């Protein structure tokens, strides 16, 4: 949030009066595996503790193109300020889950399993790891010192 929002959203603050109520809907633009609604809630609630977020699909579920993924209701300034950060994370993490699911499906009926390396963007290891799980890959360690599960 500090990187994307910094000290605030000057454009939104200039054109949207504080306290203006708003609703927003996040719609899938292509088929995808849903991933990480928890992070969406964290982003928007960092800007408006009273914001209401309804996630319409479970993590790991499939959504068709055009499906409504998330409903948001709260202060317009918070919704507009957080939407780019939220959408960037959503696209990235659903993309990881969707690609992982494709790999898992291609290996169906074989003895092969999908694993991953620990290479990830600093500070994002937890989110990447859980999104791979949404896509269907086996649990793997997050850090060098973690043991691999049997």
């Amino acid at each position: 949030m500090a990187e994307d929002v910094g000290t605030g959203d000057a454009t939104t603050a200039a054109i949207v009066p504080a306290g203006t109520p708003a609703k927003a809907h996040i719609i899938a633009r292509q088929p995808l595996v849903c991933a990480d609604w928890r992070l969406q809630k964290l982003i928007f609630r960092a800007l408006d503790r009273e914001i209401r977020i309804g996630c319409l699909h479970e993590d790991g579920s499939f959504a068709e193109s055009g499906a409504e993924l998330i409903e948001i209701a709260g202060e317009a300034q918070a919704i507009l300020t957080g939407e780019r950060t939220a959408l960037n994370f959503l696209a990235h993490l659903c993309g990881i889950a969707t690609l992982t699911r494709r790999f898992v499906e291609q290996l169906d009926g074989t003895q092969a399993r999908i694993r991953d390396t620990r290479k990830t963007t600093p500070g994002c290891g937890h989110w990447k790891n859980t999104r791979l799980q949404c896509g269907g890959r086996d649990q793997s360690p997050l850090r060098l010192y973690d043991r691999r599960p049997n």
Side-chain angles (χ1 to χ4, degrees), residues 9-65:
D9 181 345
T11 303
T12 296
I15 62 174
V16 179
T20 302
K23 291 184 180 179
H25 304 270
I26 296 177
I27 309 294
R29 293 179 67 186
Q30 62 187 40
L32 57 86
V33 174
C34 299
D36 208 49
W37 304 142
R38 214 168 24 132
L39 183 55
Q40 299 299 302
K41 291 177 181 180
L42 289 172
I43 290 167
F44 286 110
R45 289 204 176 121
L47 297 164
D48 176 1
R49 296 185 59 72
E50 302 300 317
I51 205 160
R52 292 180 313 282
I53 302 169
C55 301
L56 306 176
H57 297 270
E58 297 290 323
D59 275 353
S61 68
F62 184 78
E64 293 288 348
S65 179

Side-chain angles (χ1 to χ4, degrees), residues 61-81:
S61 68
F62 184 78
E64 293 288 348
S65 179
E68 185 173 355
L69 302 174
I70 300 173
E71 299 174 321
I72 307 164
E75 188 175 8
Q77 284 188 357
I79 293 171
L80 291 170
T81 298

